[in-house]
Amino acid sequence: MIKAILVFNNHGKPRLTKFYQYFNEEMQQQIIKETFQLVSKRDDNVCNFLEGGSLIGGADYKLIYRHYATLYFVFCVDSSESELGILDLIQVFVETLDKCFENVCELDLIFHVDKVHYILNELVMGGMVLETNMTEIITRIEDQNKLEKQEAGLAAAPARAVSAVKNMNLPQQIKDIKLPDLPAAIKDLKF
Amino acid sequence: MALRKVKGNLERMFDKNLTDLVRGIRNNKETESKYISQCMEEIKTELRQDNLAVKANAVAKLTYLQMLGYDISWAGFNIIEVMSSPKFTYKRIGYLSASQCFHQDTEVLMLTTNMIRKDLNSHNMYDSGTALTGLACFISGDLARDLANDVMTLLTSTKPYLRKKAVLLLYKVFLKFPEALRPAFPRLKEKLEDPDPGVQSAAVNVICELARKNPKNYLSLAPVFFKLMTSSTNNWMLIKIIKLFGALTPLEPRLGKKLIEPLTNLIHSTSAMSLLYECINTVIAVLISISSGMPNHNASIQLCVQKLRILIEDSDQNLKYLGLLAMSKILKTHPKSVQAHKDLVLQCLDDKDESIRLRALDLLYGMVTKKTVMEIVRRLMTHMDRAEGTMYRDELLQKIILICSQNNFQYITNFEWYVSVLVELCRMEGTQHGGLIASQLMDVAIRVVAVREFTVGQMALLLDNAHVIVGPAAARSSIAEVLYAAAWICGEFSQLLANPKATLESMVRGKVVSLPGHIQAIYVHNMLKLYAHIIATAEEEDDSEMIEEVTNLLLERLPVFVSSGDLEVQERASCIVHIVTYVQKCHKHGDKVGADLALLMTGELNPVAPKAQKKVPLPDGLDLDAWINDPPSESEEEEDDALEKEIFVKADSSYKHRKEKYEPSEEELQKLRDARRAEQASNPYYVKSSALSSPRPNHNSIQVDEIPVTAIDLNVSLKIPGMTSLDKYQVVDGWQDGGKKRHKKQKKRSKRKGQVSSSSEEEINRMHVVNTDIGEMPEGAHLSDDYEIDDRPEDDPHRALDINLDEPLSPNEVLPTRTHYEAHAQRKIESNNEAKLIPSEIPLKMKTRNKKERKEKKEKTKKVKKEEKKVKKKPSRDANLILDLIDPLKETVISDKVPVAANHINGIADAKNKEKSKSKKTKTKKEKKAKKEKDRDKPEKKLKKNEKEIDTLSRNRDEYEETNGTVTQEVEEKLAVPEPQPYSRLLAEDSHIRIVYSTAAMDGVMSEILVCIKFISQSSKPISKLQLILPDSSALKMIRTPGKLVFETGYRLFPPKEMGMAVFQRKQRQPDPQSELVNLPWSLDPGESKETQLSFTAEDVTIPHKLRGSLSYIQDGSSSSSDISLRLEFPVTTFLSGKTASRATFTDLLSSGQLSARSSFTLPNCPWSFPEVLEELTLGGSLAVVECVDQTASLYGRSLHGHHVCLLVKYQASHHLTIDGKSTEGILLSNALDHLKTTLMQKQ
């Protein structure tokens, strides 16, 4: 079982939090903070497993994480999950994001956290792995987006126009924050 | 009105949406909280509006704020409003928000039951999907109970997407509503054989999760899983199954023996690291469970260790880490195999990665031998000096102690060395393990008599240099604990001190008062012991000068302790002051009291068995729960309170008073107290208990009891409670020679040998011997009689899921269905009848699912009555069957003889679709059903049918009535559809080798065919250097190296397009990208067979393909290689897959008119029976049976490029076979039919 999925950036700002076990908001923030402290002090060339923090987990739980450019993807799982399998799952997640957002960067996660949630929901359900086939995942997501578009129809057109105008004011500096390409970080791992 | 709406829409555009909110927060970094509270206000006004779009927008924003740590539970009701929106867009927002902030105790959830039910049953697949996902996050006990039935219904949905989600949700339902487990389990079990791999995998996932917590209830599933393990190629699922086996083997060693072989095969063949690793883990678990009695388990161990070494040597830190982790598991049972790799482990100690260093440390623990212990400890000590960060250093320290102390100091030959190591460790700055060191020191001093004198000397030194140990850095560490041990050892064994007076002086002076209270108390108490010893010796030597000196010293320094803030210290100190004063008085009179004084402290320490306290029998007639006095009335309680307060205040003031000035004005009070203390002091038991209960000061020292000193060894619990007492010293070391009661005054056990060291290693001479007695036990008590304790916490939901699943279901074990009040009465009658079990009298009652249906039913009362009559007439033999039909839920559970094939149900679920499609067939159907009813009346046929797989339809009866009029029996018989087996064709054969192959269209991976080639040796000599040469044809290509680098990461083996499930595909080798050569890396021993898999893509799947190639190999002994030419055939049916077949899609297809192409053929004299024809079509033709009635079947297949092929097979009694085909692609269809025709004819 997966107990929690956390995505935060290099400064510990949460970009996505999904807890499959109830914690109140205050506790959630503490967990994010603790996890960030645990993960961020590790070099990039050390292993991706971490015996869990004190707040989340216990002896049976592990933190399995990957660091992509400015973002940490952390999964807190128990011993029923395969460590290497979860690493692959994180990779599937990130690649799905990459497909859905076309060159995903931190900004996409910041402004479309809801969409990221919908994507995650197609991978993991209630703490259990639902699907690992990316083609299938993307089909489902596209189907749902189509459904949403149909519903929006003409009514949404003016709203889209307005948001397009709003988007033009997007401060330039945010645009510059980009996820460097994934391959560089990973290509030296091979099996 | 319309205008208002438009206006509303316009205004809405300028509301903040989620993007604006995020942007706003980013632009207001300094005043973030202010900005957010402003937004919250806006959201609150938005939520008050009627427009659902506005509300949804507000809820979306709230969800974002929740992530930032803001409580949004106040909006629970609004979230539910948004969830109930008919629009998918808003619904999704609502459910997301709910899944983020609702939990099982959220009160508004009780409002949602019906809404969620509606969503689950929605026509829109994604509505139900969203509801399922959301429910998985916030399901409560009530929801689980009320919706269990709806989730079960979704298990039979035509859509794999929903089935998959429903299966996963079941797990959550079980957790919250354990009663559902037994009725639902048969259905869940069926899903293990679902045609959709995703559903299958989900079912495996759920059962693994259940079985992990209560493995013994799932042992009976082992054969199913075993079959899955040997047949599946889905690595993700294999990993789960293999992990599950790891949990099951400890309970069933026979299973383990069976597992070893397939697992070792997997280890050899797989190149998926994740799978390899899990296999090794499970093999280890198996070997642990059957540690003896396996003929060649040494080979398996060697294989594991070998593979792990490869992992550890890998440059990838992840593999290294996991390798070490698995290695430590082997270590427990097979230390010798691991010890061979000491070099590797020591190397890992220098790794830059802390996690890896810690793992290596764990390993080191088990690698120690008598010869190596000193060397290893020395290395660890140097590491400790170098290590930065207290955490790692502490870990090292703990490991050193664990290594040395394991198994009652099994590996320590020279205890003087060990004591020096411990003393050395005291110098560690900022350690949290002071208590651990202290307990070790005491342990050694007490149990190793030979080294006691040395230890005492060291401890005296330690006391003398206390200021060095308790430096300024000691505030945050617990190193002061060692002084506790030092003081105690010096006091207890004062006769061994070289210079007792000097030690006493060093104890008295210095900053003792700054130490934690419990240490001060030990100091004070041991001062008395030292004093008594000094006085006794001085009296013997008539050294009155010494007596006076020491007495004065104590009288001068003790008042500091008397005014201590710690009660324990205070009490002991004032007691001792009075003893010393008394001694002084006696000496003035010239009386010798030394011997009397020493008597207070004499007596040998005896070990007490660890469980002795628990085993003390309760005396007859003692009721511990009875009130000693009458229970106080409430008013008395108040009085007590007042009294207590008073006491408290008084005590407090007097305490303060004393602290300020120690005045004789209090003498009277003091005298009383002292009298009591003197009495207590002479009672050794009193001291003990007070020491135990002495409040520990709140510095973060580790409680001595909690130190897991020998937690590693299961038999031996070795803990030393750090407390002093004269007679009752507990040395807790259990040996299994248990149960013997030892006599108290047994002295000097130094001659006893530790049983551990009685092994071959005994040759290494032990300089010192450890006392390893079992300890004292109450009469008749046995150390070994343990209580089995469920160590799961009380509130662990898995406790409730410990349910026996093999027991047949009783009639009242059904999922709660929604029933209305009037229906309730009906149900009662029903259950009464069930209870009576007089089948001939059972009226056929129906469960109504809701009011509407009920109304409909009333309209049809006449029909129903007719049915009832019919049923009543039926012979009693049918009763069980009918009972099954009454309750749609019991259909699968009552009779074990009725396993329901999942795909059968799939086909029938959507009654509406069926209505359409069936309209044509209605007539024939009616006839058939009528026939069936007749059949049923004949008992002998009935028996036959029971043996066949019988599918009982679970749909609503009403729906059936609509379609079929008067039909009552929703039983459809189906031929057992054979389990799809790899259908092998002969590829080539000569005198040495035989090669067969099978093909499979990869589901979900577009246009790819997996070819599995099996080489079977027919030679008497090994065959090696097998080489396949398969040049690509123009239309058929072998898949070679992966494309982009991006995906070449991790532990996956397949190129990018096969992401996901295919990621975990097992594959033996990667074809050489440069040429058509495929080198097979193994050799074939005589009689052995091995497999390899190749993947191909085809550009055109509508025509058959052929691939020519050859195989060369060398037979051992012959110098030249032999060649066989091969011809791989790919008939069009290769490209078909029937996995997505369901009746609904099938009928949809037929009615949609997409299937433009038609073709058919007839075989007038088919020599094969109908089942055989079907088998040929499903296995050879890769088609799936959608529906099969009597001698007619419809089949479905989909090509890799998405062409649909539908076949109708009719078989008449006169061996007349007709196959009609429809397809979206004419060429494909005609080629497929041609192929089928030829194969069917060839079979003749």
Side-chain angles (χ1 to χ4, degrees), chain B residues 681-694:
Chain B
S682 63
N683 180 350
Y685 295 100
Y686 181 80
V687 179
K688 174 198 168 195
S689 67
S690 66
L692 267 179
S693 60
S694 74

Side-chain angles (χ1 to χ4, degrees), chain B residues 382-400:
Chain B
T382 47
H383 264 287
M384 204 153 74
D385 286 340
R386 282 206 307 255
E388 71 283 1
T390 47
M391 191 267 190
Y392 180 59
R393 215 158 6 156
D394 266 6
E395 194 70 28
L396 273 168
L397 192 154
Q398 196 187 5
K399 276 283 136 55
I400 291 176

Side-chain angles (χ1 to χ4, degrees), chain B residues 581-643:
Chain B
T581 333
Y582 175 74
V583 171
Q584 194 181 26
K585 214 164 77 190
C586 290
H587 279 138
K588 273 182 189 154
H589 297 299
D591 297 341
K592 287 194 174 179
V593 286
D596 296 341
L597 194 60
L599 261 182
L600 283 176
M601 263 76 69
T602 49
E604 185 69 15
L605 293 169
N606 283 316
V608 175
K611 288 169 189 161
Q613 184 69 47
K614 272 191 206 161
K615 305 277 164 133
V616 176
L618 204 61
D620 281 343
L622 177 64
D623 181 5
L624 288 177
D625 295 329
W627 285 96
I628 297 173
N629 300 312
D630 289 335
S633 69
E634 273 181 33
S635 60
E636 268 176 337
E637 238 168 55
E638 271 167 38
E639 272 177 36
D640 278 355
D641 269 6
L643 204 70

